[in-house]
Amino acid sequence: MATASKHAKTQDGKLLVIGCGMLAREILAVKEQLGLDHLDLTCLPAEFHYYPDRIAPALDKAIVKAKADGYGQIFVGYADCGSGGMVDRICEKHGVERMDGPHCFAFYQGMEAFRAIEDGDMMSFYMTDFLCRQFDAFFIKPLGLDRHPELIADYFGNYEKVVYLAQTNDPALDKVAEDAAKLLGLAYERRFTGYGDLSSSLAKAALITA
């Protein structure tokens, strides 16, 4: 009991964000921009992007650990992310909130903007700053496209365009996205989103904590 009390005291006024590893850089950037010095961050593996069934169980354990470590304020840096409502069930179980929306591609654009264009984007392959940085590691190598480029049509044949949702203005990342569109034989569109609703959601969670 004495150890638990010590932990709780050290976390007074702290907000812990338990986020997707794909958002780590962006969450830290928002933290710096907004001066959220009382925000701590821990991330689950980015590879859960491919295994959404793993998100909820890992999130459950992470929240339990965070509470044991003395965090009274916790915010989930995930949308539903293909979990089929399981992220919401974990949030309800622990009395915490998460990012609004179905996935990061939505909240980066802002939920109102996303709702206006989501039907028109049904055949779009989204990329973000993270996915540009990790294009080879997340797509080319796991899908075997470096060894079997003929599989591109099988994996991407139903898409019409690559939409790069840019969080920053980085020519190197622009080139990755443009080259990806050429490689996949798709049209290309760049949309500068910045951090979208990630900024306002973290600001709101931090304000409630403060």
Side-chain angles (χ1 to χ4, degrees), residues 53-71:
D53 59 307
R54 299 182 185 179
I55 297 173
L59 185 60
D60 190 19
K61 293 179 181 178
I63 295 174
V64 169
K65 181 180 184 304
K67 289 186 174 182
D69 287 343
Y71 285 99

Side-chain angles (χ1 to χ4, degrees), residues 16 34 37 56 63 75 91 128 142 144 154 156 161 193 204 208-209:
L16 179 68
L34 301 181
D37 295 333
I63 295 174
F75 183 75
C91 289
T128 63
D154 294 330
F156 298 94
K161 63 180 176 179
T193 65
K204 180 180 177 182
I208 291 173
T209 302

